[in-house]
């Protein structure tokens, strides 16, 4: 808990991360408080997705320096599923196919393990109906296998459905908007806006257009493993117009 | 149970055993006299005694198979097997009359409950013979015969004489010879013309005694345009010494009939399970084997269908799970002996903790069988690198018009799948359990709901404590 009544969700200090001994994140500092939406933009290979994966606990990444605190607890103390159960959620850039496992079963079991309490069938179905209505999803998806034969848009929508059902304290969205048409984009934004007031949000994106529907608190520019510039929503518009070169070229502050 | 025995079988849920309960128990070992004694005890007609003795001779002369897991097969000590054990003086039709401790066993296995809820009939075999048997009255009134095989032979000797050994002759293999010599128990079913038995009928096989041999014999005849679904389940207690289960199952589907035979074999990991299952399908008939092999030390079983009539269809869906110390050598055989016959074979296997699963398949199309179609899909999933999976497919295609497809895949659980599931709150074991259940889903969905739920629970239990 912050001292001024702001509640701190995530605090990253001087984070360095390597994969196969190649440094990817090189000294990143970022604090996310409840109710804040942080957007990270940057070129491919800047380390944006790495950041999301590291936070969720992907075993391929090694933290070589720095600290991460989640809800005031050192994050390293938590395994992947413990992070999920402590309210962390990652919307995957490439959601994985789980053959033979029906979406409905999967959602129920997932919600059950995260909440760590038995859920009543009827209450669960009601909750699920509401979330699916919000996202304009067809019930038939529940009997399909997780991400099996899903289009890009369907996969992303299922990620957001999971987010609504798991109701996270920290939502990490890794290029959830990529490859979506305007309608799907609006629906995804609706999901994010529903979760955002009570959570911390970290949105990784290449495009300004999501920000027509989701109002960020901060926009960060990530270049070569570091945040080089932070601004408000207007920064995203500026990046859309000018690209990233002017930031590289600027003398270091 | 010794530590070693426990190590071998893991946490097998049905590993409890009752104090041995026998009214007649033969000495261990096999001889012509033992064969004659079994027959005499059952007061059988002479022709059956003669078949038994002939089969015994063949068993003695026939060498062990020189394929499959010979090493493991040769561990079987035929002299250390009890070939006949009667645990109850008669087969009861009223559950209350079943001896108390046997009743407790089947209560623990959930049998009477299942019967009340969703079955058309039940037979429960304990050691060598059925101890309980019932069939719904409406089925009986329609002329459906569902008896244990011993009663079947007593009441309908003509039908049995006509069909016994016609699908699986005693000369088929060493273990079919053994079964024919010493068979006891099993089911006999006859479904009259045009009758569709809507609710599945179930048989439950339980080995309780140590070093026991169980040799049930099942014969199912579906007359023209009839249908039936037969389900069997098997368990045994966990001992540090081995038991032998060697059944023969013969199915006959007349013109337009349909037989589905579902098995969930969950023997403890000290049981040799060497079973011959074969069906004959006549014109437009369908035979479906739905075969799940979860338990046993070594299983060698290849459900077979002879497609003898034009337009007949075979379906063999099987799953095998091989854990530590287990070898599941399973598969399917389909013989297209008539024109325009079709078959689908789906085999899915999982190996874990050094377990081994093999698919062994035979597909034959004879020269006169034009217009046949067959699709074979074999998927293997390995849960670690010390486990093993092999495929031994054989195809003999004598007719150029045959349309055959064969797909095989071997996969491992991917790190991405585990990470994705764990990010949704599942422990690694739970994630593995979900992936395994999903992999078996094409099989599970073919089972009656109650069995599917039970199988999924079983697999989840198998995944527990499995991640190092």
């Amino acid at each position: 808990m912050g001292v001024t009544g702001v509640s701190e969700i995530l605090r990253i200090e001087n984070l360095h991360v390597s994969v196969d001994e190649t440094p990817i994140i090189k000294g990143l500092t970022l604090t996310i408080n409840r109710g804040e939406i942080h957007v990270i933009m940057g070129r491919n290979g800047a380390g944006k997705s790495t950041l999301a994966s590291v936070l969720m606990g992907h075993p391929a990444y090694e933290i070589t320096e720095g600290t991460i605190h989640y809800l005031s607890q050192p994050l390293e103390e938590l395994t992947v599923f413990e992070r999920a159960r402590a309210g962390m959620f990652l919307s995957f850039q490439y959601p994985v196919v789980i053959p033979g496992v029906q979406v409905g079963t999967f959602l129920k079991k997932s919600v059950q393990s995260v909440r760590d309490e038995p859920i009543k069938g009827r209450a669960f179905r009601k909750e699920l109906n509401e979330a699916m209505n919000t996202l304009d999803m067809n019930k038939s998806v529940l009997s399909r296998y997780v991400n099996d034969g899903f289009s890009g848009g369907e996969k992303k929508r299922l990620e957001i459905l999971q987010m609504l059902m798991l109701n996270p304290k920290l939502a990490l969205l890794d290029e959830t908007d990529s490859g979506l048409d305007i309608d799907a984009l609006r629906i995804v934004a609706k999901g994010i806006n529903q979760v955002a007031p009570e959570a911390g949000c970290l949105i990784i994106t290449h495009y300004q257009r999501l920000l027509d529907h989701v109002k960020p608190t901060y926009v960060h520019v990530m270049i070569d493993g570091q945040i080089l510039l932070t601004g408000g929503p207007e920064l995203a518009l500026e990046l859309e117009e000018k690209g990233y070169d002017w930031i590289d070229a600027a003398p270091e502050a | 149970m010794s530590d070693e025995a426990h190590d071998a079988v893991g946490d097998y849920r049905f590993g409890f055993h009752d104090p041995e309960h026998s009214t007649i128990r033969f000495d261990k070992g096999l001889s012509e006299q033992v064969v004659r004694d079994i027959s005499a005890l059952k007061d059988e007609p002479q022709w059956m005694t003669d078949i038994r003795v002939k089969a015994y001779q063949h068993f003695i002369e026939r060498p062990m198979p020189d394929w499959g897991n010979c090493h493991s097969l040769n561990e079987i000590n035929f002299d250390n097997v009890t070939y006949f054990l009667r645990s109850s003086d008669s087969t009861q039709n009223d559950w209350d009359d079943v001896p108390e401790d046997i009743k407790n066993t089947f209560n623990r296995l959930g049998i009477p409950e299942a019967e009340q809820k969703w079955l058309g009939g039940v037979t429960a075999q304990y050691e060598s013979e059925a101890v309980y048997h019932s069939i719904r009255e409406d089925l009986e009134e329609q002329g459906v015969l569902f008896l244990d095989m011993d009663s079947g032979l007593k009441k309908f000797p003509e039908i049995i004489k006509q069909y016994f050994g016609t699908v699986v002759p005693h000369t088929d293999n060493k273990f079919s010879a053994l079964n024919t010599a010493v068979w006891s128990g099993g089911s006999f079913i006859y479904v009259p013309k045009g009758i569709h038995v809507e609710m599945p009928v179930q048989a439950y096989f339980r080995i309780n005694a140590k070093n026991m041999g169980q040799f049930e014999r099942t014969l199912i005849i579906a007359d023209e345009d009839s249908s039936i679904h037969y389900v069997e389940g098997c368990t045994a207690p966990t001992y540090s010494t081995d038991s032998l289960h060697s059944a023969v199952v013969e199915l006959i589907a007349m013109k337009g009939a349909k037989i589905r035979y579902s098995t969930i074999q969950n023997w403890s990991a000290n049981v040799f399970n060497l079973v011959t299952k074969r069906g004959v399908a006549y014109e437009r008939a369908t035979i479906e084997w739905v075969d799940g092999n979860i338990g046993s030390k070594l299983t060698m079983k290849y459900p077979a269908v002879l497609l003898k009539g034009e337009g007949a269809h075979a379906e063999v869906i099987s799953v095998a799970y091989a854990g530590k110390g287990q070898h599941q050598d399973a598969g399917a055989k389909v013989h297209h002996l008539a024109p325009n016959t079709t078959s689908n074979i789906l085999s899915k296997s999982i190996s874990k903790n050094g377990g081994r699963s093999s698919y062994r398949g035979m597909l034959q199309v004879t020269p006169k069988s034009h217009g046949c179609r067959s699709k074979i899909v074999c998927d293997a999933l390995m849960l670690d690198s010390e486990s093993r999976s092999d495929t031994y497919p054989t195809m003999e295609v004598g007719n150029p018009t045959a349309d055959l497809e064969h797909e095989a895949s071997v996969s491992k659980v991917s790190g991405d799948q585990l990470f994705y599931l764990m990010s949704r709150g599942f422990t690694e074991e739970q994630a593995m359990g979900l992936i395994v259940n999903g992999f078996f889903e094409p099989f599970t969905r073919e089972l009656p709901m109650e069995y599917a739920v039970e199988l999924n629970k079983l697999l989840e239990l198998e995944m527990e404590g499995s991640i190092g």
Side-chain angles (χ1 to χ4, degrees):
Chain A
M1 290 289 174
V3 281
T4 58
V6 176
S7 92
E8 180 191 287
I9 304 278
L10 184 73
R11 190 171 78 246
I12 306 173
E13 288 168 305
N14 187 33
L15 181 69
H16 290 254
V17 176
S18 293
V19 60
D20 293 334
E21 299 188 5
T22 307
I24 307 282
I25 295 178
K26 304 163 185 172
L28 183 142
T29 296
L30 177 69
T31 299
I32 299 179
N33 296 310
R34 193 157 73 124
E36 291 179 354
I37 297 176
H38 291 247
V39 169
I40 296 191
M41 302 181 80
R43 294 193 195 90
N44 285 331
K48 305 186 299 295
S49 289
T50 300
L51 178 62
S53 297
V54 164
L55 289 172
M56 199 68 238
H58 196 291
Y61 301 95
E62 191 196 351
I63 297 177
T64 53
E65 208 183 321
T67 57
I68 306 173
H69 283 82
Y70 173 64
L71 302 172
S72 305
Q73 190 185 2
L75 186 61
E76 65 197 27
E77 290 174 2
L78 300 177
T79 63
V80 180
F81 73 87
E82 285 167 340
R83 292 175 197 200
R85 291 176 186 191
M88 196 185 277
F89 179 84
L90 170 61
S91 168
F92 280 61
Q93 186 180 356
Y94 303 110
V96 179
V97 177
I98 313 290
V101 177
Q102 290 184 337
V103 169
T105 312
F106 167 73
L107 283 173
K108 191 167 180 199
K109 289 194 172 199
S110 169
V111 168
Q112 204 147 16
S113 26
V114 166
R115 290 189 195 163
D116 197 25
E117 58 182 47
I119 45 173
K120 294 211 172 67
R122 215 159 136 200
F124 176 76
R125 274 194 299 278
K126 186 164 174 274
E127 217 179 305
L128 186 56
N129 276 342
E130 282 169 15
M132 293 185 81
N133 286 339
T134 303
L135 301 177
D136 202 12
M137 288 174 82
N138 193 314
K139 297 286 173 305
S140 64
V141 77
L142 296 175
S143 55
R144 293 173 67 189
Y145 301 146
V146 177
N147 293 317
D148 199 354
F150 281 37
S151 70
E154 286 175 324
K155 284 183 185 172
K156 296 302 174 72
R157 223 180 271 210
L158 179 57
E159 293 293 286
I160 298 301
L161 177 64
Q162 293 177 55
M163 182 175 79
L164 292 189
M165 294 304 291
L166 295 173
N167 194 25
K169 295 191 177 75
L170 176 64
L172 310 166
L173 297 116
D174 189 4
E175 297 197 23
T176 302
D177 55 339
S178 295
L180 296 186
D181 61 33
I182 296 296
D183 289 340
L185 189 73
R186 199 174 291 132
I187 284 163
V188 162
K190 205 164 144 193
I192 297 172
N193 287 329
Q194 185 171 324
V195 166
E198 296 299 317
C201 282
L202 180 68
I203 298 175
I204 291 164
T205 182
H206 281 291
Y207 309 103
Q208 195 278 331
R209 55 180 198 152
L210 175 67
L211 308 183
D212 292 339
H213 308 283
V214 174
K215 192 171 177 295
T217 320
Y218 300 101
V219 173
H220 309 280
V221 181
M222 193 166 174
I223 289 177
D224 194 23
Q226 288 178 304
I227 290 176
L228 284 191
L229 192 62
T230 296
E234 71 288 346
L235 179 55
L237 290 165
E238 198 174 348
L239 291 168
E240 183 96 334
E241 194 183 317
K242 304 195 335 202
Y244 296 103
D245 288 349
W246 62 281
I247 303 169
D248 293 293
E252 271 192 50
Chain B
M1 187 168 30
S2 70
D3 285 352
E4 200 182 317
H6 183 268
D7 206 34
V9 298
D11 294 312
Y12 178 68
R13 210 151 46 110
F14 307 110
F16 62 88
H17 65 93
D18 305 324
E20 200 175 293
H21 190 288
S22 58
T23 58
I24 296 174
R25 181 195 183 104
F26 280 35
D27 288 340
K28 285 178 180 176
L30 189 58
S31 63
E32 187 177 321
Q33 197 53 49
V34 167
V35 172
R36 288 186 182 280
D37 288 349
I38 291 174
S39 190
L41 191 73
K42 292 173 180 289
D43 199 17
E44 289 178 346
Q46 187 59 41
W47 61 265
M48 182 55 83
T49 313
D50 294 345
I51 292 179
R52 286 181 181 271
V53 170
K54 236 173 25 194
Y56 170 73
Q57 294 301 345
H58 188 80
F59 169 74
I60 296 298
E61 290 158 17
R62 186 91 177 228
M64 268 297 204
D66 57 0
W67 50 275
N69 193 333
C70 306
H71 176 74
S72 186
L73 273 183
N74 286 318
E75 284 173 18
I76 301 172
N77 180 356
F78 290 105
D79 294 332
N80 195 35
V81 173
T82 301
Y83 287 86
F84 185 82
L85 200 166
R86 175 171 286 174
S87 52
S88 172
D89 288 325
S90 55
T91 303
Q92 303 299 334
N93 299 318
D94 186 337
W95 187 247
D96 291 337
D97 295 336
V98 175
E100 201 62 29
D101 49 357
I102 297 179
K103 198 157 64 182
N104 287 341
T105 295
F106 285 111
N107 277 334
R108 285 172 80 171
L109 299 166
I111 306 305
E113 212 185 302
E115 180 193 348
Q116 283 160 20
K117 281 192 195 152
W118 59 279
L119 293 170
V122 164
T123 183
Q125 178 162 343
Y126 194 85
E127 318 293 16
S128 297
E129 292 178 323
V131 292
Y132 172 68
H133 188 85
S134 82
I135 177 170
R136 284 167 56 102
E137 274 177 26
D138 52 335
L139 294 179
E140 215 167 9
E141 281 163 14
Q142 288 175 311
V144 176
L145 306 179
F146 174 37
L147 296 92
D148 67 275
M149 194 64 171
D150 294 294
S151 308
L153 179 60
K154 278 205 170 65
K155 291 184 183 162
F156 304 96
E158 278 74 33
I159 306 182
I160 295 202
K161 192 175 180 182
Q162 188 182 345
Y163 292 104
F164 187 95
T166 56
V167 185
V168 181
H170 68 269
T171 50
D172 190 77
N173 65 75
K174 189 171 179 76
F175 292 92
S176 70
L178 177 62
N179 175 281
T180 308
V182 298
W183 74 266
S184 183
S187 300
F188 166 63
I189 296 177
Y190 170 78
V191 188
K193 277 185 193 171
I195 299 292
H196 296 281
V197 179
E198 306 289 351
M199 294 169 95
V201 298
Q202 178 184 271
Y204 202 92
F205 297 96
R206 174 79 178 171
I207 297 178
N208 183 63
K210 270 188 194 185
N211 301 118
M212 183 62 204
Q214 194 173 61
F215 306 96
E216 87 269 11
R217 180 93 188 191
T218 289
L219 172 63
I220 301 177
I221 302 159
D223 214 327
E224 291 179 15
D225 299 312
S226 70
S227 68
I228 186 159
H229 183 184
Y230 178 88
V231 190
E232 65 175 359
C234 330
T235 61
T238 299
Y239 293 117
S240 52
T241 55
D242 298 331
S243 291
L244 172 61
H245 175 250
S246 189
V248 167
V249 176
E250 299 178 281
L251 308 183
I252 296 159
M254 309 286 200
K255 212 157 97 182
K258 179 176 172 181
I259 302 175
R260 168 175 279 210
Y261 193 109
S262 301
T263 305
I264 298 293
Q265 171 272 106
N266 186 26
W267 295 116
S268 56
N270 52 349
V271 174
F272 286 95
N273 184 43
L274 308 164
V275 172
T276 309
K277 290 184 162 168
R278 190 176 301 153
V280 180
Y282 292 96
E283 206 179 312
R284 290 180 293 101
T286 294
I287 287 183
E288 300 175 340
W289 295 105
V290 178
D291 199 56
N293 294 297
I294 311 299
S296 83
K297 175 181 193 167
L298 170 66
T299 284
M300 287 173 71
K301 176 167 53 162
Y302 322 96
V305 184
L306 307 175
L307 297 167
K308 276 194 176 168
E310 178 152 11
H313 178 69
E315 195 87 29
V316 186
I317 306 171
S318 65
V319 298
Y321 168 86
K324 189 174 181 181
Q326 286 183 282
H327 184 182
Q328 305 284 8
D329 196 303
K333 294 180 184 178
V334 176
H335 302 268
H336 290 261
L337 308 174
N340 302 317
T341 49
T342 52
S343 63
N344 275 322
I345 296 172
L346 171 65
S347 156
K348 298 184 88 80
S349 69
I350 289 181
S351 326
K352 200 192 82 177
N353 288 344
R356 180 177 171 195
S357 60
S358 313
Y359 170 80
R360 202 177 292 278
M362 162 58 130
L363 187 86
Q364 185 198 15
V365 180
T366 54
K368 60 177 180 182
S369 308
H370 55 82
C372 294
R373 271 185 296 123
S374 177
K375 184 175 182 184
I376 304 172
V377 178
C378 300
D379 296 326
L381 180 68
M382 316 260 279
L383 299 191
D384 53 51
S385 51
E386 45 175 336
S387 301
R388 182 173 163 187
S389 165
D390 329 90
T391 310
Y392 306 98
T394 307
M395 286 197 188
E396 283 173 18
V397 181
N399 187 299
T401 64
D403 175 7
L404 307 177
E405 273 180 74
H406 188 188
E407 295 169 16
S409 75
V410 178
S411 52
K412 288 191 172 181
V413 173
S414 81
D416 285 346
Q417 284 177 323
L418 287 177
F419 180 61
Y420 186 74
L421 291 172
M422 285 160 74
S423 81
R424 299 310 187 237
F426 299 104
T427 64
E428 191 170 350
E429 288 168 2
Q430 289 170 334
M432 207 64 118
L434 261 187
I435 291 169
V436 164
N437 281 347
F439 179 75
F440 277 169
E441 204 275 343
F443 172 85
T444 319
R445 71 168 169 236
E446 298 298 329
L447 296 174
M449 173 78 113
E450 289 75 3
Y451 267 74
V453 169
E454 188 62 17
L455 182 68
N456 280 342
K457 272 196 233 151
L458 195 67
L459 292 168
E460 276 161 20
L461 280 175
E462 290 288 348
M463 291 305 118
E464 271 177 27
S466 67
I467 314 288

